[in-house]
């Protein structure tokens, strides 16, 4: 049996949970500890799934990041090989450069294609 040295830290709070709707219609959830003090829970942000159970308890399960770190960055885009089995090509172009979008896309796709051919990932 493999011995794991992984430490799992659990923090238990006595708190009230407030759920309200924002103007945009989204639920806003606040956890209000009975005895607030700094540093009890390490701050984090991320995507996940939160649910309020019938008994009033709240669960939040964080999702793994689907995007991978970019393998290649070009002028206005990037190529990522992701853990969900998909490859992503993302272009981000400022609004004021919208007229140049066809030129930017052609140049970026050419650079990405050449990279894939060089790595032997394309014919």
């Amino acid at each position: 049996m493999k011995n794991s040295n992984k430490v799992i830290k659990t923090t238990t709070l006595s708190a009230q949970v407030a759920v309200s709707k924002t103007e945009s219609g989204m639920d806003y959830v606040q956890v209000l500890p009975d005895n607030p003090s700094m540093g009890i829970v390490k701050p984090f942000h991320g995507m996940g799934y939160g649910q309020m159970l019938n008994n009033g308890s709240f669960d939040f399960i964080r999702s793994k990041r689907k995007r991978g770190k970019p393998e290649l960055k070009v002028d206005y885009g990037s190529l990522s090989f992701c853990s969900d089995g998909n490859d992503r090509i993302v272009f981000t172009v400022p609004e004021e450069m919208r007229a140049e979008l066809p030129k930017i896309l052609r140049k970026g796709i050419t650079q990405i294609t050449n990279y894939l051919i060089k790595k032997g990932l394309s014919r």
Side-chain angles (χ1 to χ4, degrees):
M1 184 171 169
K2 191 175 181 182
N3 185 9
S4 175
N5 294 329
K6 190 175 189 177
V7 176
I8 299 173
K9 183 179 177 188
T10 301
T11 303
T12 303
L13 300 173
S14 176
Q16 291 183 352
V17 176
V19 181
S20 54
K21 288 255 187 222
T22 62
E23 289 179 6
S24 64
M26 293 183 65
D27 288 330
Y28 180 68
V29 178
Q30 285 183 293
V31 178
L32 307 165
D34 294 340
N35 298 312
S37 62
M38 296 295 288
I40 293 176
V41 179
K42 182 180 171 192
F44 72 92
H45 74 278
M47 298 292 288
Y49 178 74
Q51 63 180 352
M52 181 72 74
L53 302 176
N54 289 338
N55 66 3
S57 61
F58 180 77
D59 286 345
F60 182 79
I61 300 170
R62 221 169 145 180
S63 302
K64 283 190 173 183
R65 179 182 170 134
K66 291 182 181 178
R67 293 184 292 129
K69 289 188 177 180
E71 175 89 11
L72 173 70
K73 289 185 178 182
V74 295
D75 290 341
Y76 294 96
S78 64
L79 167 68
S80 301
F81 301 119
C82 307
S83 62
D84 64 358
N86 294 313
D87 300 336
R88 287 185 173 78
I89 299 173
V90 178
F91 284 91
T92 305
V93 180
E95 183 179 346
E96 60 271 5
M97 297 187 71
R98 192 172 286 153
E100 298 176 46
L101 187 57
K103 180 181 173 184
I104 291 169
L105 289 174
R106 274 193 300 276
K107 182 179 176 186
I109 291 296
T110 301
Q111 291 172 326
I112 290 170
T113 302
N114 290 340
Y115 176 80
L116 292 171
I117 291 169
K118 182 179 171 185
K119 292 282 278 186
L121 300 172
S122 180
R123 297 183 221 182

